């Protein structure tokens, strides 16, 4: 059983990078902890559940964000077909300062921004 939260978080990140993990129960069993603890850890780490298993938001951004254009209080994020919902969820779960929320289509995400939100979003998306 992993003793500290930091060690447990690192163990989760190591596990999801080494193999596909599809459920909280899989993580709980691998770590020897409860599903409730894993659920909190997933939220704190900003993990996103994809068809390939849990991924970090940064991994989702690197793989799926093709372009970002900011116009006023809106950001238009382009993704490959079928990936917009993954990116939108990762942005929402990242709880970025200045990003009010997202709306996803098939290959486009609209993010509603407050003052300063564009810079925070660009930093998170690495663009």
């Amino acid at each position: 059983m992993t003793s500290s939260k930091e060690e447990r978080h690192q163990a989760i990140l190591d596990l999801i990078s080494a193999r596909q993990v599809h459920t909280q129960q899989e993580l709980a069993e691998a770590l020897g902890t409860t599903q409730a603890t894993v659920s909190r850890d997933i939220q704190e780490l900003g993990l996103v559940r994809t068809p390939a298993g849990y991924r970090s938001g940064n991994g989702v951004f690197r793989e799926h964000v093709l372009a970002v254009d900011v116009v006023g209080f809106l950001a238009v994020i382009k993704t490959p077909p079928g990936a917009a919902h993954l990116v939108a969820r990762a942005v929402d779960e990242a709880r970025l300062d200045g990003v009010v929320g997202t709306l996803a289509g098939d290959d486009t995400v609209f993010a509603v921004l407050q003052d300063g939100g564009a810079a925070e979003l660009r930093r998170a998306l690495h663009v």
Side-chain angles (χ1 to χ4, degrees), residues 14-58:
D14 292 345
L15 192 60
I16 66 170
S17 68
R19 65 178 176 101
Q20 292 184 356
V21 178
H22 294 280
T23 67
Q24 291 180 8
Q25 189 61 40
E26 284 180 72
L27 281 172
E29 289 172 3
L31 299 171
T33 191
T34 66
Q35 188 170 345
T37 298
V38 167
S39 179
R40 282 189 300 274
D41 290 340
I42 287 170
Q43 189 166 21
E44 289 171 4
L45 289 167
L47 300 183
V48 179
R49 190 169 168 193
T50 72
Y54 281 103
R55 307 287 302 270
S56 74
N58 287 339

Side-chain angles (χ1 to χ4, degrees), residues 86-101:
L86 294 173
V87 171
R89 184 171 178 182
V91 169
D92 289 339
E93 290 180 355
R95 295 186 179 109
L96 303 172
D97 288 336
V99 179
V100 178

Side-chain angles (χ1 to χ4, degrees), residues 62-118:
R62 271 193 301 278
E63 277 185 41
H64 299 295
V65 172
L66 302 176
V68 178
D69 290 308
V70 177
V71 181
F73 65 92
L74 287 176
V76 179
I77 305 166
K78 299 301 287 179
T79 73
H85 70 285
L86 294 173
V87 171
R89 184 171 178 182
V91 169
D92 289 339
E93 290 180 355
R95 295 186 179 109
L96 303 172
D97 288 336
V99 179
V100 178
T102 60
L103 177 66
D106 183 54
D107 64 355
T108 304
V109 176
F110 290 106
V112 179
L113 308 172
Q114 294 175 328
D115 289 340

